[in-house]
Amino acid sequence: MMQGNTNRYEEYIALRAELILLLTASRQIMYVTVAFLVASIAWYLGQPATDRIGVSAFTLFLYLGLLLSGTIYVINSNQVYRIGGFLAVFWDSRDSDRRLSWHRFNRRGPTGGFLPDAATLVYVGSVLAIVGLETALVLARQTRPLEPTSVIILVGVAEVILFSQIGRYLRRQRDRFEIEWRRIRGSAERRAAIHDEYETIPS
């Protein structure tokens, strides 16, 4: 690789390290989510039926946990695509001696794939497992009278629809960040505006 500006090369190294850290965090979020779900269900089923909290309350707790996890995952992924877009626009080059295109694998996944598609499967699968558990407990008559089980199942369906959009939403974000960085690169005024935002005292 031939980069004439040492400071810019150091910038690339720092951004690369940050991107790897964020990608690792994204995977860990999904691992922790699945472990939390399995442990919670095992704990619940391990309790005597008479001592369990209501099925609806437990299911709602799991839904909220998944919603929090999914929100953190999306926020983290947005940061990945913001940095990845910057590297794609300012560091990628058609010159084979200067081309640094490894980050495109990290932003888009393997050929023909897309990283957040795995998250979609994890979250949608998790919600379906919870809905299945609640349905089984309802059919086994292990619910308390007046529990709003039907409403909770509908909440699960709504979460399935929401989580199924993760991949589509992040694809749009990936493209939006790259388009915005291209506009900034092509405009001296936009580049100056970014630096001006970091001024603490007006000049």
Side-chain angles (χ1 to χ4, degrees), residues 107-132:
R107 291 176 65 243
R108 299 179 180 178
T111 302
F114 185 63
L115 291 178
D117 287 342
T120 298
L121 291 175
V122 167
Y123 286 110
V124 170
S126 297
V127 176
L128 290 176
I130 295 170
V131 170

Side-chain angles (χ1 to χ4, degrees), residues 174-193:
R174 176 198 67 192
D175 296 340
R176 182 179 71 84
F177 281 120
E178 187 164 328
I179 290 169
E180 287 300 315
W181 283 124
R182 286 178 184 175
R183 289 174 177 169
I184 290 169
R185 184 182 64 178
S187 169
E189 292 79 8
R190 287 176 179 263
R191 290 198 302 272

